[in-house]
Amino acid sequence: MAYIEMINSCKTYHMGGSTIYANRDVSFSVEKGELAIILGSSGAGKSTVLNILGGMDSNDSGKVIIDGKDISKYSRTQLTAYRRTDVGFVFQFYNLVQNLTAKENVELASEIVEHALDPVTVLKDVGLADRINNFPAQLSGGEQQRVALARALVNNPSVLLADEPTGNLDPNNSWEIMKLLEEINVRRRTTVVVVTHNREIVNAMQKRVITMKKGVIISDE
Ligand code: ADP
Ligand code: MG
């Protein structure tokens, strides 16, 4: 059975007098241990999908089945537990705490979960062995995103969701972050969903690509 299954998921936003159809009947599934990419231009509805998968937003209708359980039926408390134990999330702008070191940023995330991995080991795993005591401002964009990745991995999540993780990086660093996501996927068998608008990177990755446009999936190959 698929690890992630979204079935006819719909989400609308209401702004002033108008209705925005952010997701319309979005259906796709991702197998356990798979790496899938959601591609689409700005406003296509990609972040809406990812936020719903990560339990950070809820849909209006449709099922969101993760590991056999429909999280769209979860209470707030259940969603909080789901986010803590099952999900790792990476954002475009890293969202690190500026006055904490790399190690402290990862420790902070590890403190709220029961079976956290060792922060230093995870930082070494993402290639930051000699950067653990640096503050975000002392790190390059690529290094900051690695810290964010370590933070996302420290709870040993079964699913890693990355929303435009390379959106703020140059082509070299972008490629390295994508390769790192792939390595995590292969080595840890973590199910990974990456959102991007960068078609070049997607073509180079040779992975499953779900393309979205105006709230709808237009291809899945
Ligand atoms: P993408 O990530 O592909 O750029 P989003 O999922 O962020 O797209 O947004 C899809 C659509 O929903 C866009 O038109 C966006 O403006 C709208 N939208 C997203 N979040 C909100 C919100 N909180 N309030 C109102 N409109 C929103
Ligand atoms: Mg987005």
Side-chain angles (χ1 to χ4, degrees):
M1 209 176 77
Y3 189 75
I4 295 172
E5 211 173 346
M6 209 172 222
I7 306 167
N8 294 117
S9 183
C10 297
K11 176 76 182 181
T12 55
Y13 291 108
H14 301 280
M15 291 264 282
S18 64
T19 301
I20 298 158
Y21 294 90
N23 282 176
R24 284 182 291 173
D25 280 323
V26 170
S27 300
F28 68 95
S29 57
V30 180
E31 296 300 317
K32 191 164 184 64
E34 191 181 1
L35 186 156
I37 298 172
I38 302 179
L39 175 70
S41 50
S42 177
K46 309 180 297 297
S47 294
T48 302
V49 168
L50 217 63
N51 291 340
I52 291 170
L53 288 182
M56 300 197 296
D57 199 355
S58 54
N59 62 3
D60 302 330
S61 62
K63 293 183 178 172
V64 186
I65 298 169
I66 309 286
D67 201 13
K69 285 162 290 229
D70 188 353
I71 66 161
S72 70
K73 304 273 188 297
Y74 275 12
S75 65
R76 290 190 77 86
T77 316
Q78 284 176 305
L79 280 178
T80 303
Y82 164 68
R83 283 195 303 267
R84 269 188 203 167
T85 58
D86 294 306
V87 184
F89 215 101
V90 178
F91 306 91
Q92 177 175 353
F93 296 107
Y94 330 128
N95 296 5
L96 300 174
V97 181
Q98 292 301 314
N99 57 353
L100 296 182
T101 63
K103 179 165 166 256
E104 289 165 344
N105 265 282
V106 180
E107 278 171 349
L108 186 64
S110 75
E111 281 158 12
I112 60 164
V113 293
E114 233 170 278
H115 302 287
L117 304 174
D118 172 46
V120 173
T121 306
V122 182
L123 280 161
K124 285 179 181 164
D125 279 355
V126 297
L128 289 178
D130 50 2
R131 282 277 183 258
I132 53 178
N133 293 317
N134 285 113
F135 291 94
Q138 299 171 319
L139 301 172
S140 72
E143 287 167 341
Q144 289 184 62
Q145 192 59 296
R146 284 168 191 265
V147 177
L149 249 172
R151 179 185 56 190
L153 291 171
V154 80
N155 63 342
N156 201 15
S158 48
V159 56
L160 178 63
L161 305 172
D163 193 351
E164 305 270 9
T166 67
N168 207 35
L169 300 176
D170 60 42
N172 260 341
N173 275 306
S174 296
W175 185 240
E176 279 183 14
I177 289 293
M178 292 304 279
K179 283 284 138 193
L180 195 51
L181 288 171
E182 191 177 16
E183 193 187 309
I184 289 160
N185 166 248
V186 171
R187 195 149 42 92
R188 296 174 183 260
R189 307 250 327 120
T190 310
T191 308
V192 179
V193 183
V194 190
V195 157
T196 183
H197 64 268
N198 189 331
R199 189 174 291 276
E200 249 172 77
I201 274 197
V202 171
N203 290 342
M205 288 285 287
Q206 304 261 332
K207 290 282 175 189
R208 158 99 176 279
V209 182
I210 298 161
T211 309
M212 291 190 72
K213 193 176 177 180
K214 294 182 181 165
V216 176
I217 291 180
I218 56 166
S219 75
D220 186 345
E221 52 203 27

